[in-house]
Short mmCIF file of all heavy atoms in Angstrom, two decimals:
data_model
loop_
_atom_site.label_atom_id
_atom_site.label_comp_id
_atom_site.label_asym_id
_atom_site.label_seq_id
_atom_site.Cartn_x
_atom_site.Cartn_y
_atom_site.Cartn_z
N THR G 318 -5.05 -37.83 4.37
CA THR G 318 -5.06 -38.04 2.92
C THR G 318 -5.49 -36.81 2.14
O THR G 318 -6.69 -36.35 2.39
CB THR G 318 -6.04 -39.24 2.59
OG1 THR G 318 -5.70 -40.41 3.39
CG2 THR G 318 -5.91 -39.59 1.10
N CYS G 319 -4.62 -36.32 1.37
CA CYS G 319 -4.96 -35.09 0.73
C CYS G 319 -6.11 -35.35 -0.28
O CYS G 319 -6.03 -36.21 -1.03
CB CYS G 319 -3.73 -34.57 0.01
SG CYS G 319 -4.12 -33.13 -1.08
N ARG G 320 -7.12 -34.51 -0.14
CA ARG G 320 -8.30 -34.81 -1.16
C ARG G 320 -7.92 -34.51 -2.57
O ARG G 320 -8.53 -35.12 -3.46
CB ARG G 320 -9.35 -33.81 -0.72
CG ARG G 320 -10.29 -34.40 0.30
CD ARG G 320 -11.71 -33.90 0.19
NE ARG G 320 -12.32 -34.33 1.46
CZ ARG G 320 -13.10 -33.71 2.19
NH1 ARG G 320 -13.52 -32.54 1.81
NH2 ARG G 320 -13.65 -34.16 3.31
N LYS G 321 -6.99 -33.77 -2.71
CA LYS G 321 -6.62 -33.31 -4.12
C LYS G 321 -5.69 -34.28 -4.78
O LYS G 321 -6.03 -34.75 -5.87
CB LYS G 321 -6.00 -31.92 -4.22
CG LYS G 321 -6.24 -31.20 -5.39
CD LYS G 321 -5.61 -29.80 -5.30
CE LYS G 321 -5.43 -29.20 -6.72
NZ LYS G 321 -4.57 -28.05 -6.60
N CYS G 322 -4.62 -34.54 -4.15
CA CYS G 322 -3.64 -35.46 -4.88
C CYS G 322 -3.51 -36.87 -4.22
O CYS G 322 -2.76 -37.62 -4.67
CB CYS G 322 -2.28 -34.79 -4.89
SG CYS G 322 -1.55 -34.71 -3.29
N ARG G 323 -4.37 -37.10 -3.33
CA ARG G 323 -4.44 -38.40 -2.58
C ARG G 323 -3.22 -38.72 -1.93
O ARG G 323 -2.91 -39.89 -1.57
CB ARG G 323 -4.75 -39.61 -3.56
CG ARG G 323 -5.93 -39.31 -4.59
CD ARG G 323 -7.16 -38.97 -3.85
NE ARG G 323 -7.72 -40.03 -3.00
CZ ARG G 323 -8.81 -39.72 -2.21
NH1 ARG G 323 -9.38 -38.67 -2.10
NH2 ARG G 323 -9.16 -40.67 -1.32
N HIS G 324 -2.36 -37.78 -1.63
CA HIS G 324 -1.12 -38.01 -0.83
C HIS G 324 -1.37 -38.37 0.48
O HIS G 324 -2.11 -37.66 1.13
CB HIS G 324 -0.18 -36.71 -1.04
CG HIS G 324 1.06 -36.81 -0.26
ND1 HIS G 324 2.04 -37.84 -0.52
CD2 HIS G 324 1.58 -36.05 0.76
CE1 HIS G 324 3.09 -37.68 0.24
NE2 HIS G 324 2.85 -36.53 1.07
N GLU G 325 -0.77 -39.42 1.12
CA GLU G 325 -1.01 -39.78 2.41
C GLU G 325 0.15 -39.33 3.28
O GLU G 325 1.38 -39.64 2.93
CB GLU G 325 -1.23 -41.31 2.55
CG GLU G 325 -2.57 -41.76 1.87
CD GLU G 325 -2.78 -43.23 1.91
OE1 GLU G 325 -2.58 -43.82 2.96
OE2 GLU G 325 -3.06 -43.71 0.86
N PHE G 326 -0.04 -38.71 4.28
CA PHE G 326 1.05 -38.26 5.15
C PHE G 326 0.57 -38.16 6.66
O PHE G 326 -0.49 -38.29 6.95
CB PHE G 326 1.59 -36.84 4.67
CG PHE G 326 0.60 -35.75 4.78
CD1 PHE G 326 0.60 -34.90 5.88
CD2 PHE G 326 -0.34 -35.59 3.73
CE1 PHE G 326 -0.36 -33.77 5.96
CE2 PHE G 326 -1.33 -34.49 3.86
CZ PHE G 326 -1.26 -33.65 4.95
N CYS G 327 1.65 -37.93 7.49
CA CYS G 327 1.42 -37.89 8.99
C CYS G 327 1.27 -36.34 9.30
O CYS G 327 2.08 -35.57 8.91
CB CYS G 327 2.57 -38.46 9.70
SG CYS G 327 2.56 -38.06 11.44
N TRP G 328 0.12 -35.95 9.92
CA TRP G 328 -0.05 -34.57 10.36
C TRP G 328 1.06 -34.12 11.38
O TRP G 328 1.34 -32.93 11.28
CB TRP G 328 -1.43 -34.48 10.99
CG TRP G 328 -1.82 -33.00 11.42
CD1 TRP G 328 -1.76 -32.60 12.64
CD2 TRP G 328 -2.29 -31.98 10.59
NE1 TRP G 328 -2.21 -31.24 12.67
CE2 TRP G 328 -2.49 -30.93 11.39
CE3 TRP G 328 -2.58 -31.96 9.24
CZ2 TRP G 328 -3.12 -29.68 10.86
CZ3 TRP G 328 -3.07 -30.81 8.75
CH2 TRP G 328 -3.34 -29.66 9.57
N MET G 329 1.52 -35.06 12.13
CA MET G 329 2.57 -34.67 13.10
C MET G 329 3.95 -34.27 12.41
O MET G 329 4.36 -33.15 12.62
CB MET G 329 2.82 -35.91 13.91
CG MET G 329 2.62 -35.75 15.32
SD MET G 329 1.59 -34.42 15.89
CE MET G 329 1.95 -34.59 17.65
N CYS G 330 4.46 -35.17 11.59
CA CYS G 330 5.89 -34.96 11.16
C CYS G 330 5.82 -34.50 9.66
O CYS G 330 6.86 -34.27 9.11
CB CYS G 330 6.75 -36.08 11.40
SG CYS G 330 6.30 -37.50 10.27
N MET G 331 4.62 -34.49 9.05
CA MET G 331 4.52 -34.21 7.62
C MET G 331 5.13 -35.13 6.76
O MET G 331 5.29 -34.93 5.56
CB MET G 331 4.85 -32.73 7.31
CG MET G 331 4.24 -31.66 8.10
SD MET G 331 2.49 -31.65 7.96
CE MET G 331 2.26 -31.02 6.26
N GLY G 332 5.63 -36.31 7.34
CA GLY G 332 6.38 -37.34 6.46
C GLY G 332 5.32 -38.17 5.70
O GLY G 332 4.10 -38.12 6.09
N VAL G 333 5.78 -38.96 4.82
CA VAL G 333 4.93 -39.84 4.04
C VAL G 333 4.46 -40.92 5.01
O VAL G 333 5.20 -41.40 5.78
CB VAL G 333 5.65 -40.40 2.84
CG1 VAL G 333 4.89 -41.36 2.09
CG2 VAL G 333 6.35 -39.39 2.05
N TRP G 334 3.11 -41.28 4.83
CA TRP G 334 2.49 -42.16 5.77
C TRP G 334 3.16 -43.53 5.76
O TRP G 334 3.35 -44.22 6.74
CB TRP G 334 0.95 -42.24 5.71
CG TRP G 334 0.38 -42.96 6.80
CD1 TRP G 334 -0.15 -44.37 6.64
CD2 TRP G 334 0.14 -42.62 8.17
NE1 TRP G 334 -0.60 -44.81 7.83
CE2 TRP G 334 -0.40 -43.67 8.81
CE3 TRP G 334 0.46 -41.44 8.90
CZ2 TRP G 334 -0.79 -43.66 10.13
CZ3 TRP G 334 0.18 -41.37 10.22
CH2 TRP G 334 -0.51 -42.52 10.79
N SER G 335 3.31 -43.98 4.51
CA SER G 335 3.79 -45.38 4.30
C SER G 335 5.12 -45.62 5.03
O SER G 335 5.41 -46.73 5.45
CB SER G 335 3.86 -45.62 2.79
OG SER G 335 4.83 -44.73 2.23
N GLU G 336 5.94 -44.64 5.09
CA GLU G 336 7.23 -44.78 5.78
C GLU G 336 7.07 -44.92 7.27
O GLU G 336 8.07 -45.47 7.89
CB GLU G 336 8.10 -43.50 5.52
CG GLU G 336 8.72 -43.57 4.07
CD GLU G 336 9.45 -42.31 3.71
OE1 GLU G 336 9.64 -41.52 4.74
OE2 GLU G 336 9.74 -42.08 2.59
N HIS G 337 5.99 -44.56 7.86
CA HIS G 337 5.79 -44.79 9.22
C HIS G 337 5.81 -46.28 9.55
O HIS G 337 6.44 -46.68 10.45
CB HIS G 337 4.45 -44.10 9.72
CG HIS G 337 4.70 -42.64 10.06
ND1 HIS G 337 4.56 -41.73 9.04
CD2 HIS G 337 4.99 -42.06 11.18
CE1 HIS G 337 4.71 -40.45 9.62
NE2 HIS G 337 5.01 -40.73 10.86
N GLY G 338 4.88 -46.87 8.78
CA GLY G 338 4.63 -48.32 9.11
C GLY G 338 4.48 -48.57 10.60
O GLY G 338 3.74 -47.85 11.24
N THR G 339 5.35 -49.39 11.07
CA THR G 339 5.22 -49.74 12.55
C THR G 339 5.96 -48.72 13.32
O THR G 339 5.80 -48.78 14.50
CB THR G 339 5.80 -51.21 12.78
OG1 THR G 339 7.00 -51.21 12.08
CG2 THR G 339 4.87 -52.16 12.22
N SER G 340 6.73 -47.98 12.71
CA SER G 340 7.55 -46.96 13.54
C SER G 340 6.80 -45.73 13.90
O SER G 340 7.38 -44.71 14.19
CB SER G 340 8.84 -46.62 12.81
OG SER G 340 8.56 -45.98 11.66
N TRP G 341 5.47 -45.76 13.71
CA TRP G 341 4.64 -44.55 13.97
C TRP G 341 4.86 -43.90 15.42
O TRP G 341 5.07 -42.67 15.51
CB TRP G 341 3.24 -44.97 13.91
CG TRP G 341 2.23 -44.13 14.66
CD1 TRP G 341 1.43 -44.57 15.68
CD2 TRP G 341 1.98 -42.79 14.55
NE1 TRP G 341 0.69 -43.52 16.16
CE2 TRP G 341 1.01 -42.36 15.55
CE3 TRP G 341 2.46 -41.87 13.65
CZ2 TRP G 341 0.51 -41.05 15.63
CZ3 TRP G 341 2.03 -40.48 13.79
CH2 TRP G 341 1.02 -40.19 14.78
N TYR G 342 5.08 -44.82 16.39
CA TYR G 342 5.24 -44.21 17.80
C TYR G 342 6.67 -43.52 17.85
O TYR G 342 6.69 -42.62 18.62
CB TYR G 342 4.98 -45.25 18.77
CG TYR G 342 3.53 -45.57 18.88
CD1 TYR G 342 3.02 -46.81 18.31
CD2 TYR G 342 2.72 -44.73 19.43
CE1 TYR G 342 1.69 -47.10 18.36
CE2 TYR G 342 1.23 -44.99 19.48
CZ TYR G 342 0.89 -46.15 18.97
OH TYR G 342 -0.47 -46.33 19.01
N ASN G 343 7.52 -43.96 17.09
CA ASN G 343 8.82 -43.23 17.11
C ASN G 343 8.64 -41.80 16.70
O ASN G 343 9.20 -40.92 17.13
CB ASN G 343 9.84 -43.94 16.24
CG ASN G 343 10.53 -45.10 16.92
OD1 ASN G 343 10.38 -45.22 18.10
ND2 ASN G 343 11.06 -45.86 16.08
N CYS G 344 7.90 -41.66 15.58
CA CYS G 344 7.59 -40.42 15.10
C CYS G 344 7.00 -39.55 16.24
O CYS G 344 7.41 -38.42 16.43
CB CYS G 344 6.65 -40.52 13.98
SG CYS G 344 5.82 -38.96 13.46
N ASN G 345 6.09 -40.09 16.93
CA ASN G 345 5.39 -39.38 17.93
C ASN G 345 6.34 -38.94 19.01
O ASN G 345 6.22 -37.73 19.38
CB ASN G 345 4.26 -40.32 18.54
CG ASN G 345 3.39 -39.49 19.42
OD1 ASN G 345 3.15 -38.31 19.16
ND2 ASN G 345 2.82 -40.04 20.42
N ARG G 346 7.19 -39.85 19.46
CA ARG G 346 8.11 -39.48 20.56
C ARG G 346 9.06 -38.34 19.96
O ARG G 346 9.31 -37.32 20.60
CB ARG G 346 8.87 -40.69 20.87
CG ARG G 346 9.30 -40.55 22.36
CD ARG G 346 9.81 -41.95 22.86
NE ARG G 346 8.76 -42.97 22.67
CZ ARG G 346 9.02 -44.28 22.35
NH1 ARG G 346 10.33 -44.56 21.95
NH2 ARG G 346 8.17 -45.17 22.18
N TYR G 347 9.58 -38.57 18.82
CA TYR G 347 10.54 -37.61 18.25
C TYR G 347 9.87 -36.30 18.11
O TYR G 347 10.53 -35.24 18.40
CB TYR G 347 11.03 -38.14 16.86
CG TYR G 347 11.96 -37.26 16.17
CD1 TYR G 347 13.24 -36.96 16.75
CD2 TYR G 347 11.58 -36.60 14.99
CE1 TYR G 347 14.08 -36.11 16.05
CE2 TYR G 347 12.37 -35.76 14.42
CZ TYR G 347 13.67 -35.46 14.92
OH TYR G 347 14.48 -34.56 14.39
N GLU G 348 8.70 -36.23 17.64
CA GLU G 348 8.13 -35.00 17.38
C GLU G 348 7.37 -34.32 18.65
O GLU G 348 6.87 -33.20 18.57
CB GLU G 348 6.90 -35.22 16.37
CG GLU G 348 7.39 -35.48 14.94
CD GLU G 348 7.97 -34.28 14.29
OE1 GLU G 348 7.35 -33.17 14.30
OE2 GLU G 348 9.06 -34.30 13.78
N GLU G 349 7.59 -34.97 19.81
CA GLU G 349 6.90 -34.46 20.93
C GLU G 349 7.24 -33.04 21.25
O GLU G 349 6.40 -32.25 21.42
CB GLU G 349 7.19 -35.43 22.17
CG GLU G 349 6.13 -35.32 23.22
CD GLU G 349 6.32 -36.46 24.13
OE1 GLU G 349 7.41 -36.74 24.56
OE2 GLU G 349 5.24 -37.13 24.45
N LYS G 350 8.58 -32.78 21.26
CA LYS G 350 8.99 -31.42 21.63
C LYS G 350 8.52 -30.33 20.57
O LYS G 350 7.81 -29.42 20.85
CB LYS G 350 10.46 -31.35 21.75
CG LYS G 350 10.90 -30.15 22.27
CD LYS G 350 12.39 -30.24 22.87
CE LYS G 350 13.09 -28.87 22.98
NZ LYS G 350 13.58 -28.37 21.75
N SER G 351 8.89 -30.68 19.31
CA SER G 351 8.52 -29.80 18.31
C SER G 351 7.00 -29.69 18.07
O SER G 351 6.48 -28.63 17.71
CB SER G 351 9.19 -30.11 16.99
OG SER G 351 8.72 -31.34 16.44
N GLY G 352 6.36 -30.83 18.46
CA GLY G 352 4.91 -30.86 18.25
C GLY G 352 4.29 -29.77 19.29
O GLY G 352 3.42 -29.07 18.97
N SER G 353 4.81 -29.80 20.49
CA SER G 353 4.26 -28.89 21.47
C SER G 353 4.64 -27.38 21.14
O SER G 353 3.94 -26.47 21.35
CB SER G 353 4.77 -29.20 22.93
OG SER G 353 6.07 -28.80 23.07
N GLU G 354 5.76 -27.38 20.55
CA GLU G 354 6.17 -25.93 20.02
C GLU G 354 5.29 -25.48 18.98
O GLU G 354 4.90 -24.35 19.03
CB GLU G 354 7.66 -25.97 19.50
CG GLU G 354 8.67 -25.78 20.59
CD GLU G 354 9.99 -26.03 20.00
OE1 GLU G 354 10.25 -26.26 18.82
OE2 GLU G 354 11.02 -25.97 20.95
N ALA G 355 4.97 -26.41 18.12
CA ALA G 355 3.99 -26.08 17.03
C ALA G 355 2.60 -25.66 17.59
O ALA G 355 2.06 -24.77 17.16
CB ALA G 355 3.88 -27.21 16.09
N ARG G 356 2.25 -26.39 18.61
CA ARG G 356 1.06 -26.09 19.32
C ARG G 356 1.03 -24.63 19.95
O ARG G 356 0.15 -23.87 19.89
CB ARG G 356 0.66 -27.18 20.42
CG ARG G 356 -0.20 -28.32 19.79
CD ARG G 356 -0.80 -29.11 20.96
NE ARG G 356 0.22 -29.63 21.90
CZ ARG G 356 0.90 -30.70 21.66
NH1 ARG G 356 0.78 -31.40 20.50
NH2 ARG G 356 1.78 -31.20 22.50
N ASP G 357 2.15 -24.56 20.57
CA ASP G 357 2.28 -23.09 21.20
C ASP G 357 2.19 -22.06 20.13
O ASP G 357 1.59 -21.01 20.31
CB ASP G 357 3.67 -22.96 21.90
CG ASP G 357 3.66 -23.78 23.26
OD1 ASP G 357 2.56 -24.20 23.59
OD2 ASP G 357 4.64 -23.85 23.82
N ALA G 358 2.90 -22.26 19.12
CA ALA G 358 2.97 -21.30 17.98
C ALA G 358 1.55 -21.06 17.49
O ALA G 358 1.13 -19.95 17.13
CB ALA G 358 3.82 -21.78 16.88
N GLN G 359 0.77 -22.17 17.29
CA GLN G 359 -0.52 -22.02 16.82
C GLN G 359 -1.43 -21.23 17.80
O GLN G 359 -2.18 -20.37 17.38
CB GLN G 359 -1.04 -23.35 16.59
CG GLN G 359 -0.54 -24.02 15.37
CD GLN G 359 -1.50 -24.95 14.65
OE1 GLN G 359 -2.58 -25.13 15.05
NE2 GLN G 359 -1.00 -25.46 13.46
N ALA G 360 -1.28 -21.47 19.13
CA ALA G 360 -2.03 -20.81 20.10
C ALA G 360 -1.66 -19.35 20.08
O ALA G 360 -2.53 -18.42 20.13
CB ALA G 360 -1.76 -21.42 21.46
N LYS G 361 -0.46 -19.01 19.96
CA LYS G 361 0.01 -17.63 19.87
C LYS G 361 -0.66 -16.91 18.71
O LYS G 361 -1.03 -15.78 18.84
CB LYS G 361 1.50 -17.59 19.78
CG LYS G 361 2.16 -16.72 20.90
CD LYS G 361 3.63 -16.78 20.62
CE LYS G 361 4.35 -15.84 21.55
NZ LYS G 361 5.77 -16.05 21.52
N SER G 362 -0.57 -17.60 17.57
CA SER G 362 -1.20 -17.00 16.35
C SER G 362 -2.64 -16.72 16.59
O SER G 362 -3.12 -15.66 16.19
CB SER G 362 -0.81 -18.03 15.25
OG SER G 362 -1.71 -17.64 14.16
N ARG G 363 -3.37 -17.65 17.24
CA ARG G 363 -4.74 -17.57 17.43
C ARG G 363 -4.91 -16.27 18.40
O ARG G 363 -5.87 -15.57 18.17
CB ARG G 363 -5.35 -18.88 18.04
CG ARG G 363 -6.64 -18.75 18.61
CD ARG G 363 -7.67 -18.38 17.48
NE ARG G 363 -7.75 -19.38 16.45
CZ ARG G 363 -8.66 -20.32 16.38
NH1 ARG G 363 -9.54 -20.47 17.32
NH2 ARG G 363 -8.69 -21.23 15.46
N GLN G 364 -4.12 -16.19 19.26
CA GLN G 364 -4.29 -15.13 20.21
C GLN G 364 -4.06 -13.74 19.54
O GLN G 364 -4.82 -12.83 19.78
CB GLN G 364 -3.19 -15.24 21.34
CG GLN G 364 -3.65 -14.88 22.71
CD GLN G 364 -2.56 -15.12 23.67
OE1 GLN G 364 -1.37 -15.16 23.38
NE2 GLN G 364 -2.93 -15.23 24.95
N SER G 365 -3.07 -13.75 18.73
CA SER G 365 -2.79 -12.42 18.08
C SER G 365 -3.93 -12.08 17.14
O SER G 365 -4.24 -10.93 16.90
CB SER G 365 -1.39 -12.49 17.31
OG SER G 365 -1.51 -12.91 16.07
N LEU G 366 -4.59 -13.14 16.51
CA LEU G 366 -5.64 -12.75 15.77
C LEU G 366 -6.81 -12.22 16.42
O LEU G 366 -7.49 -11.31 16.00
CB LEU G 366 -6.04 -14.08 14.97
CG LEU G 366 -7.27 -14.10 14.03
CD1 LEU G 366 -6.94 -13.10 12.93
CD2 LEU G 366 -7.63 -15.43 13.54
N GLU G 367 -7.12 -12.79 17.60
CA GLU G 367 -8.24 -12.27 18.39
C GLU G 367 -8.00 -10.91 18.89
O GLU G 367 -8.91 -10.03 18.94
CB GLU G 367 -8.53 -13.22 19.57
CG GLU G 367 -9.44 -14.27 19.27
CD GLU G 367 -9.52 -15.47 20.17
OE1 GLU G 367 -9.02 -15.36 21.29
OE2 GLU G 367 -10.08 -16.48 19.79
N ARG G 368 -6.61 -10.57 19.23
CA ARG G 368 -6.32 -9.24 19.63
C ARG G 368 -6.53 -8.17 18.43
O ARG G 368 -7.17 -7.18 18.72
CB ARG G 368 -4.83 -9.23 19.99
CG ARG G 368 -4.31 -7.95 20.56
CD ARG G 368 -2.92 -8.02 21.11
NE ARG G 368 -2.45 -6.80 21.55
CZ ARG G 368 -2.10 -5.85 20.67
NH1 ARG G 368 -1.91 -6.11 19.43
NH2 ARG G 368 -1.64 -4.62 21.20
N TYR G 369 -6.11 -8.68 17.30
CA TYR G 369 -6.31 -7.79 16.10
C TYR G 369 -7.85 -7.51 16.01
O TYR G 369 -8.18 -6.40 15.71
CB TYR G 369 -5.69 -8.48 14.97
CG TYR G 369 -6.11 -7.76 13.59
CD1 TYR G 369 -5.63 -6.55 13.29
CD2 TYR G 369 -6.93 -8.47 12.82
CE1 TYR G 369 -6.08 -5.93 12.09
CE2 TYR G 369 -7.31 -7.90 11.60
CZ TYR G 369 -6.97 -6.56 11.29
OH TYR G 369 -7.27 -5.97 10.14
#
Side-chain angles (χ1 to χ4, degrees):
Chain G
T318 306
C319 173
R320 270 211 193 138
K321 205 172 160 201
C322 69
R323 315 302 302 169
H324 178 57
E325 293 176 49
F326 63 96
C327 167
W328 183 259
M329 235 24 188
C330 71
M331 300 304 289
V333 183
W334 186 259
S335 60
E336 281 173 13
H337 274 88
T339 49
S340 65
W341 152 244
Y342 286 104
N343 279 341
C344 164
N345 192 30
R346 209 170 301 140
Y347 177 66
E348 286 289 311
E349 203 163 47
K350 190 165 163 276
S351 65
S353 77
E354 270 169 8
R356 271 196 301 281
D357 283 355
Q359 290 213 353
K361 233 179 173 172
S362 163
R363 172 57 65 94
Q364 214 176 26
S365 91
L366 180 60
E367 271 165 15
R368 183 171 179 280
Y369 167 70

